[in-house]
Amino acid sequence: MSAKQILILTAAMAISAGTAQAAVVVEYSGDYVSASRTFEPAHANTAFVLESSVTAGNMDYNGDADTTDYVLFRALNLTAPWSDAMGANYSGPAFYGGFTIFSSGTDHVSRNARTDAFQISNSGASDRIRPVVRNVILATSVFLFNTSSVGKFESGAGNQLQANVSQLTSATGQFIVRAGGSFYISQSTLIAGSNTIDPATINWAAISLTDGQKNLLLPASPSYTVAGSTLTNITQFGYVQNTAGNTSGSVVEVDLLRANISLIPEPAMSGVLALGAAGLLARRRRMV
């Protein structure tokens, strides 16, 4: 058997066994906008569930006797990208997601939180995803990209999740993936600067997110019990941002987001390669 046949046989057997090399399936890193883009949420004065025991739009949310606390949101969109972000002024990959902001007083809503709710800022060669809110009680944003191919996490197979956080102020950030139709957030949190993790070796917490969801507050104590090596059929990847309590100027500013994930072989292709491998073996036996 020639060296070339041996290489083909080895690759075919590996793929038919379900293993694959990691590939970049998501990348946000570049000069995508000619001018900063700000995306404004809708006012949420109409009632919807904020907590399990509260249904209101105007309320005393933080217990300070101010009954004019307001909620702003951009309903979660998982099936179609933000249409107002696309077009001639944006050349980057399509993104999905939403955010919820609990703010105090109409002035905060109209003058501060509403104008600073979410932005892609023009920052030279590396434009920044910038959820930033001011004078708020609490805010959560979810930012997602579709993966270019269905993937899975395999330990030691070159799987890496990367993010470069150019600014982190009064907030926390975590990776999020959609695997098998469900969402999971990483136990590892983002830090200022470069972040690289092996997703197969950490634990993840399952969270509930549905298309059109307005209240995006994450569980207070997520249960990080899902091993990353068990996550398969990964179709979306991104990060979530939470303010660190009642604070001003909360921001997690990201200028690089990348996912290297092992690709799941197509069943048809695995079968073809397996048949090819079997044919090479049979031919070799006849020649011996």
Side-chain angles (χ1 to χ4, degrees):
M1 184 180 295
S2 69
K4 182 177 181 180
Q5 288 174 323
I6 292 172
L7 288 173
I8 294 173
L9 176 61
T10 303
M13 293 178 69
I15 293 177
S16 65
T19 60
Q21 293 296 316
V24 177
V25 297
V26 168
E27 181 160 16
Y28 178 96
S29 175
D31 185 4
Y32 297 132
V33 294
S34 56
S36 297
R37 305 288 308 281
T38 299
F39 308 103
E40 297 182 355
H43 287 271
N45 294 344
T46 54
F48 66 94
V49 175
L50 306 180
E51 297 176 336
S52 59
S53 59
V54 179
T55 53
N58 303 349
M59 57 179 290
D60 175 16
Y61 185 80
N62 62 343
D64 62 357
D66 178 1
T67 59
T68 62
D69 292 347
Y70 286 85
V71 180
L72 301 174
F73 68 91
R74 184 176 184 118
L76 189 66
N77 197 331
L78 302 174
T79 58
W82 290 12
S83 59
D84 56 356
M86 308 305 146
N89 294 322
Y90 178 76
S91 60
F95 56 87
Y96 305 73
F99 47 80
T100 304
I101 300 172
F102 298 93
S103 188
S104 181
T106 56
D107 181 62
H108 294 166
V109 167
S110 62
R111 191 177 66 188
N112 293 311
R114 192 167 191 230
T115 56
D116 293 326
F118 193 95
Q119 187 180 66
I120 293 182
S121 61
N122 185 24
S123 303
S126 298
D127 290 336
R128 298 170 179 177
I129 309 167
R130 181 181 168 86
V132 56
V133 289
R134 304 185 187 282
N135 301 305
V136 302
I137 298 168
L138 198 60
T140 298
S141 62
V142 178
F143 190 93
L144 293 161
F145 292 104
N146 283 350
T147 61
S148 59
S149 300
V150 175
K152 61 181 177 179
F153 295 149
E154 290 183 347
S155 181
N159 284 254
Q160 289 185 336
L161 302 183
Q162 297 173 288
N164 191 69
V165 180
S166 48
Q167 184 178 351
L168 181 66
T169 304
S170 301
T172 60
Q174 293 164 276
F175 290 113
I176 182 172
V177 295
R178 189 179 194 177
S182 299
F183 287 93
Y184 302 86
I185 55 173
S186 65
Q187 188 168 20
S188 299
T189 57
L190 299 179
I191 61 173
S194 178
N195 296 261
T196 300
I197 66 168
D198 180 345
T201 61
I202 66 169
N203 283 352
W204 298 72
I207 62 171
S208 177
L209 292 176
T210 58
D211 207 31
Q213 185 172 328
K214 298 175 183 178
N215 178 12
L216 300 181
L217 286 184
L218 300 180
S221 300
S223 179
Y224 296 101
T225 57
V226 179
S229 58
T230 65
L231 298 180
T232 60
N233 295 309
I234 298 166
T235 56
Q236 288 185 314
F237 163 71
Y239 78 97
V240 297
Q241 172 254 350
N242 278 291
T243 58
N246 190 355
T247 187
S248 177
S250 167
V251 59
V252 179
E253 188 173 79
V254 174
D255 58 24
L256 180 147
L257 198 64
R258 181 183 295 125
N260 292 275
I261 300 175
S262 293
L263 303 184
I264 297 177
E266 292 286 346
M269 180 59 69
S270 297
V272 169
L273 289 173
L275 286 173
L280 285 174
L281 285 172
R283 179 182 177 188
R284 183 175 184 273
R285 290 192 187 100
R286 288 195 299 270
M287 295 175 64
V288 173

